[in-house]
Amino acid sequence: MKKEKLSISSFANISGINSGTLSRFLNGNQPLSISSLDLITKAMNLEEGFFYPLYINEESTPNWRRLGPFIRRCAELGKLHCIDQAVGLTVENPTYSSLLFDSAEALFHKGNLEAALIIYKKIAESEKHQHAERLALCQYRIFTCSLNSDQENNLNHTIQFEPYVKRLPESVQLDAIKDLTNTLVSLRKGNRVKYYAQEMGRISRMLYAQKHNHKKPHRKPIEPAKPLFGYILYSDLMLSSIAAENDDYDQALYYLSCYEDQSWIVESDEASERTKEQFRIWARCNRYLYELMKGNIDLLEPYIEYISTRENEILRALFGIIQAANMYHFEIDEYLEKFEYMIKDYLKQREPVGTYKKKVIDDRFAKFLTDVGMYYIRKGNIHKGSKYILDSLEFSYTINFEINIVRCCTTMEHIQSMLNHDDLQRYAAIRNQLKVSGVLIHP
């Protein structure tokens, strides 16, 4: 104001702030709201949030009426460091714990995960010796917000979260178990997947029975994010998948029949029918697959014909078909060529496939690329096979899938003498990248 020779009245007009409010602020008689600070910043032609680092420490005792809007505004502008500082000033005060948690929840549901994660971590650290539901909810949010394509990172956060699952409120517990199960699937922790799938089935069946028991009075039904029957079906789907992973296809077909049979489900609204239809599609696809894996090769063409009309199921179906082809030595060249565009698209874009989460499907895709490479190498097409092995090696490196990295490197060493110049150079470049990163490359 001195520089531009502006009076309080003239600057009030420029900024859109009441002149009385501006005067009281300048004289130290009234704290400034974040909305007024934004107006002043704009009137001074400075970038948004320019004064935020100073604003945090303006008062020795933070006022939530100012701090709450400040945190929301910092989240909008990506001023994460300011959020970290602001929360650090208040998190030790029990009065603010509930308010901070509510702010984090609001940011989480708006999709502002980075900002929410800062608050969840601060609360969890301050309450680490307590057994409150809020601590468990914070740990759940930290778990879901921290998952990415790095499997070692996902394993660490899974280990950190597991002790808190049973402390969660019942309305959230089923979703937490589902998220944990999906992550454990991608980490190939079959025994833990089986345990949590069984827990999901036990809890959801109990709650479903309570909800529809009209003979005895019961407490208000627990309503998780999705229909209860869906968790029951999903638990059987997971148990079926685990049995298949262990090559027990008879047991896999048994659990398949459990989620295939939906006669017991009471709900019949439009959303419920869509959920039931999705499980029927999975049941039919998996029935084809499990029979194929048992050696019933005659079902290959009907299987391909069925999935061809369901694009979201094609890639996942190929994962199993290539395993069966390598196991029973039958030809699938025409199908690999037909759907090669889907393989290339996922390799390039890595978009989620239908309802399957990226972290669940990435490691299966990496293994699939190796299986395709082995298929072509077995047929004598070394160049095409090595291309898929190298694609798998690069992809496995990006998701930190060390078991498959070792498998790819072992295969490449066996066929190295048959590789052309370009493939040798590409392999050498990838190996060098692995060595620089300290990734295990030898069995």
Side-chain angles (χ1 to χ4, degrees):
M1 288 169 64
K2 288 179 180 178
K3 179 182 177 183
E4 300 296 330
K5 297 181 174 57
L6 297 170
S7 65
I8 288 178
S9 177
S10 57
F11 189 73
N13 288 332
I14 293 171
S15 63
I17 298 175
N18 178 275
S19 59
T21 300
L22 185 59
S23 177
R24 287 190 295 274
F25 164 66
L26 292 173
N27 290 315
N29 296 322
Q30 179 177 324
L32 197 64
S33 68
I34 193 66
S35 58
S36 294
L37 180 59
D38 286 341
L39 291 173
I40 289 175
T41 306
K42 184 178 180 181
M44 294 175 69
N45 293 318
L46 297 171
E47 67 178 49
E48 290 183 292
F50 182 85
F51 293 111
Y52 283 11
L54 298 175
Y55 188 79
I56 298 169
N57 298 310
E58 191 186 34
E59 291 184 30
S60 57
T61 305
N63 185 308
W64 184 258
R65 286 185 298 175
R66 299 173 64 232
L67 188 62
F70 175 70
I71 289 174
R72 290 194 294 273
R73 191 76 178 105
C74 286
E76 291 172 4
L77 297 179
K79 302 277 186 180
L80 302 181
H81 180 65
C82 291
I83 294 177
D84 186 68
Q85 283 185 284
V87 176
L89 292 173
T90 60
V91 73
E92 296 299 332
N93 186 337
T95 306
Y96 289 104
S97 294
S98 179
L99 296 168
L100 285 169
F101 180 76
D102 290 343
S103 291
E105 286 287 272
L107 292 171
F108 175 82
H109 290 295
K110 284 183 179 179
N112 207 323
L113 303 187
E114 285 184 292
L117 185 57
I118 291 171
I119 304 175
Y120 289 130
K121 285 182 175 180
K122 291 284 189 182
I123 297 173
E125 178 61 26
S126 70
E127 299 187 351
K128 62 184 177 182
H129 299 301
Q130 300 183 28
H131 294 274
E133 284 185 351
R134 185 166 60 220
L135 173 60
L137 283 166
C138 283
Q139 292 291 354
Y140 176 33
R141 299 299 192 216
I142 291 168
F143 169 69
T144 56
C145 290
S146 301
L147 296 175
N148 56 34
S149 60
D150 185 336
Q151 296 291 55
E152 185 174 349
N153 166 79
N154 295 345
L155 176 59
N156 290 335
H157 281 97
T158 298
I159 294 170
Q160 178 182 319
F161 172 56
E162 277 195 271
Y164 297 93
V165 175
K166 292 186 178 180
R167 301 189 204 174
L168 288 165
E170 288 181 308
S171 58
V172 179
Q173 198 173 92
L174 281 173
D175 289 306
I177 292 175
K178 186 173 184 289
D179 290 338
L180 189 57
T181 301
N182 286 337
T183 304
L184 288 166
V185 167
S186 73
L187 293 169
R188 309 184 74 80
K189 302 295 183 182
N191 289 336
R192 300 305 291 161
V193 173
K194 184 175 181 179
Y195 169 77
Y196 283 112
Q198 289 172 334
E199 276 294 282
M200 187 191 306
R202 181 186 66 80
I203 295 169
S204 55
R205 283 183 172 88
M206 176 186 69
L207 295 176
Y208 195 78
Q210 289 176 357
K211 180 179 179 180
H212 295 289
N213 183 358
H214 301 295
K215 296 180 180 179
K216 297 180 181 180
H218 55 78
R219 62 180 179 173
K220 184 180 178 181
I222 301 297
E223 295 292 348
K226 296 180 180 179
L228 276 169
F229 73 81
Y231 298 95
I232 298 173
L233 298 178
Y234 194 74
S235 70
D236 288 326
L237 174 65
M238 286 291 100
L239 291 169
S240 179
S241 298
I242 287 298
E245 287 287 331
N246 294 328
D247 299 328
D248 188 346
Y249 296 105
D250 289 330
Q251 187 176 50
L253 287 165
Y254 164 74
Y255 283 116
L256 184 151
S257 67
C258 292
Y259 66 85
E260 188 178 44
D261 175 18
Q262 302 172 3
S263 59
W264 53 271
I265 299 174
V266 176
E267 291 79 4
S268 60
D269 58 278
E270 186 177 343
S272 296
E273 290 301 322
R274 285 197 299 270
T275 299
K276 289 189 278 186
E277 175 61 18
Q278 180 61 77
F279 278 96
R280 285 195 291 268
I281 291 172
W282 285 333
R284 186 164 180 183
C285 286
N286 287 337
R287 186 172 290 281
Y288 278 125
L289 175 60
Y290 299 158
E291 291 290 352
L292 187 65
M293 294 301 290
K294 289 178 69 176
N296 193 347
I297 301 172
D298 292 339
L299 289 177
L300 176 61
E301 286 194 20
Y303 186 21
I304 293 291
E305 183 179 350
Y306 182 72
I307 63 167
S308 294
T309 61
R310 292 164 176 79
E311 190 165 303
N312 288 336
E313 302 298 325
I314 293 173
L315 194 58
R316 180 176 170 272
L318 290 175
F319 294 173
I321 290 171
I322 190 66
Q323 290 182 51
N326 285 337
M327 186 184 302
Y328 297 108
H329 292 187
F330 57 83
E331 303 290 316
I332 59 167
D333 295 56
E334 63 174 299
Y335 306 124
L336 289 174
E337 292 169 8
K338 179 179 179 180
F339 299 119
E340 189 175 22
Y341 74 96
M342 296 192 74
I343 301 171
K344 290 181 177 178
D345 284 349
Y346 191 82
L347 188 60
K348 183 178 179 181
Q349 300 173 12
R350 293 179 62 185
E351 293 295 329
V353 179
T355 58
Y356 301 101
K357 303 294 184 182
K358 186 162 70 67
K359 67 180 183 294
V360 175
I361 204 170
D362 273 357
D363 70 320
R364 294 185 177 184
F365 182 74
K367 186 176 181 297
F368 164 72
L369 291 174
T370 309
D371 289 339
V372 176
M374 298 294 288
Y375 171 81
Y376 282 117
I377 290 169
R378 175 175 60 80
K379 295 189 63 184
N381 193 337
I382 303 299
H383 176 65
K384 194 162 188 175
S386 64
K387 176 187 176 300
Y388 275 101
I389 299 293
L390 291 170
D391 285 343
S392 180
L393 184 55
E394 287 184 332
F395 187 86
S396 298
Y397 170 68
T398 65
I399 62 172
N400 197 26
F401 191 5
E402 288 194 355
I403 294 174
N404 205 59
I405 289 173
V406 172
R407 185 182 178 212
C408 290
C409 288
T410 302
T411 302
M412 292 302 294
E413 293 298 321
H414 286 161
I415 64 171
Q416 193 168 5
S417 62
M418 295 180 278
L419 297 177
N420 62 32
H421 178 71
D422 290 342
D423 289 340
L424 283 170
Q425 280 197 322
R426 185 183 174 194
Y427 179 46
I430 299 172
R431 278 179 59 89
N432 185 60
Q433 188 177 17
L434 293 169
K435 286 179 180 178
V436 169
S437 303
V439 177
L440 177 70
I441 59 174
H442 292 297

